[in-house]
């Protein structure tokens, strides 16, 4: 709130766009740039289409804000199951952000904890 907007934006870009270990594209944490990432992205795109969601622009379907937006529009049980599938990736991302002392780490831990609680309930 009190920070310089330009510095905050620069930190965000450095954190998420320029540091692969902090990528908000979740399949990157599973596959890196491996060719097996493609089928995972296609499967996620198909899931969105099956639910009537069309991804606009050039964004990949594994982009964390898009995943959270998709989950927000699902029934609670469906959203919980969906997020629980990515709980390990949330943990990796949160750990990487913690190692960098990123202020974003606690936010990703909240997502991970929500997904973990979901998995326990299932």
């Amino acid at each position: 709130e009190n920070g310089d907007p330009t510095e905050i934006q620069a930190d965000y870009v450095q954190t998420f766009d320029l540091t692969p270990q902090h990528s908000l594209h979740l399949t990157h944490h599973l596959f890196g740039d491996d060719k097996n990432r493609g089928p995972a992205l296609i499967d996620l795109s198909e899931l969105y289409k099956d639910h009537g969601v069309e991804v606009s622009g050039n964004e990949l379907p594994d982009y964390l804000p898009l995943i959270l937006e998709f989950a927000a529009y699902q029934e609670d049980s469906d959203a919980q199951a969906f997020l629980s599938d990515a709980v390990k990736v949330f943990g990796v991302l949160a750990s990487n952000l913690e190692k960098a002392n990123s202020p974003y780490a606690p936010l990703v831990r909240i997502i991970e904890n929500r997904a973990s609680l979901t998995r326990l309930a299932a």
Side-chain angles (χ1 to χ4, degrees), residues 21 30 33 54 87 106 118:
Q21 298 86 352
L30 296 172
D33 291 327
E54 188 129 353
V87 70
T118 299

Side-chain angles (χ1 to χ4, degrees), residues 16 64 68 94 97 102-113:
F16 296 113
L64 180 56
L68 294 176
L97 291 167
S102 172
Y104 299 104
L107 300 174
V108 177
R109 280 287 176 213
I110 290 169
I111 298 166
E112 177 197 20
N113 289 337

Side-chain angles (χ1 to χ4, degrees), residues 31-97:
F31 303 107
D33 291 327
D34 187 82
K35 65 181 178 177
N36 292 322
R37 185 175 178 205
L41 293 171
I42 291 169
D43 289 346
L44 193 52
S45 292
E46 292 299 317
L47 176 69
Y48 291 160
K49 285 180 187 175
D50 290 347
H51 285 85
V53 175
E54 188 129 353
V55 178
S56 60
N58 295 328
E59 196 54 67
L60 293 174
D62 66 338
Y63 184 54
L64 180 56
L66 179 60
I67 284 174
L68 294 176
E69 184 176 355
F70 174 75
Y73 287 101
Q74 302 308 305
E75 295 292 327
D76 283 346
S77 60
D78 293 337
Q80 290 173 346
F82 176 68
L83 291 176
S84 72
D85 286 343
V87 70
K88 289 181 183 178
V89 178
F90 298 139
V92 168
L93 178 56
S95 293
N96 290 343
L97 291 167

